[in-house]
Amino acid sequence: MSDSPRPSLSEITRALAALADRVTESDEAPPEPFVSERLRAASDALQKFIPGLEHAFDADAARGMLQSAELARQRGDGREGLIRALRGLAHAPHHPGLWYVAASACFELGGVEDALRLLYHTLWIHPGHRAARDDLQALTAFFEGNDEGERAA
């Protein structure tokens, strides 16, 4: 993705595909700081585009990647789930299901901050996304419970 103040949608999707390649080549868990930074930059840049205004570049490919990302996560392979979700986002950058699976995969890999950020982004795209809302509420309750436990100790 270029460092211009407003990267194009094509630049953002190329950056997401490059992130998938980077995660493929890395074995770090949680994802390395570069991946976290670029995920944040991509989601921030996407917020300058209205979801649904432009058609997905390849909706069929995105659906296929979503299915394979979900299957990878169900097998317990968070890294593969994240890779496939990122590849899917390169085809449909405003797909809330792909952002949700990426968030879930980040959480499974230990990237809690990334997971929270991606859950918020999922809800920015689709405020009614029930699974993202439920996960965000559960994580928030967990962290609030831990804060209270630390204060009591």
Side-chain angles (χ1 to χ4, degrees), residues 1-146:
M1 193 163 50
S2 73
D3 291 326
S4 69
R6 185 173 167 106
S8 71
L9 208 49
S10 293
E11 288 175 310
I12 295 167
T13 58
R14 283 194 303 272
L16 289 165
L19 278 178
D21 293 340
R22 180 87 178 228
V23 174
T24 299
E25 295 165 1
S26 171
D27 60 352
E28 289 189 38
E32 62 183 299
F34 175 83
V35 172
S36 296
E37 175 190 322
R38 300 317 288 172
L39 266 173
R40 182 179 322 117
S43 65
D44 289 349
L46 277 170
Q47 290 189 11
K48 294 177 176 54
F49 297 89
I50 300 169
L53 188 61
E54 297 182 40
H55 294 288
F57 296 112
D58 189 341
D60 290 334
R63 276 190 295 276
M65 285 289 114
L66 175 60
Q67 289 174 344
S68 64
E70 288 173 335
L71 287 172
R73 279 197 45 253
Q74 288 170 5
R75 287 191 318 265
D77 191 348
R79 176 170 308 290
E80 190 63 29
L82 179 57
I83 291 165
R84 292 175 187 213
L86 291 170
R87 292 204 190 288
L89 287 166
H91 298 289
H94 284 302
H95 193 296
L98 288 164
W99 283 103
Y100 174 73
V101 172
S104 299
C106 284
F107 184 77
E108 289 175 9
L109 293 170
V112 177
E113 186 177 330
D114 291 331
L116 286 169
R117 186 177 306 109
L118 298 181
L119 286 171
Y120 279 116
H121 189 75
T122 302
L123 291 169
W124 175 80
I125 295 168
H126 179 28
H129 195 285
R130 174 50 71 198
R133 184 163 306 284
D134 290 347
D135 286 357
L136 188 58
Q137 287 175 344
L139 286 171
T140 302
F142 173 79
F143 287 116
E144 287 174 354
N146 277 350

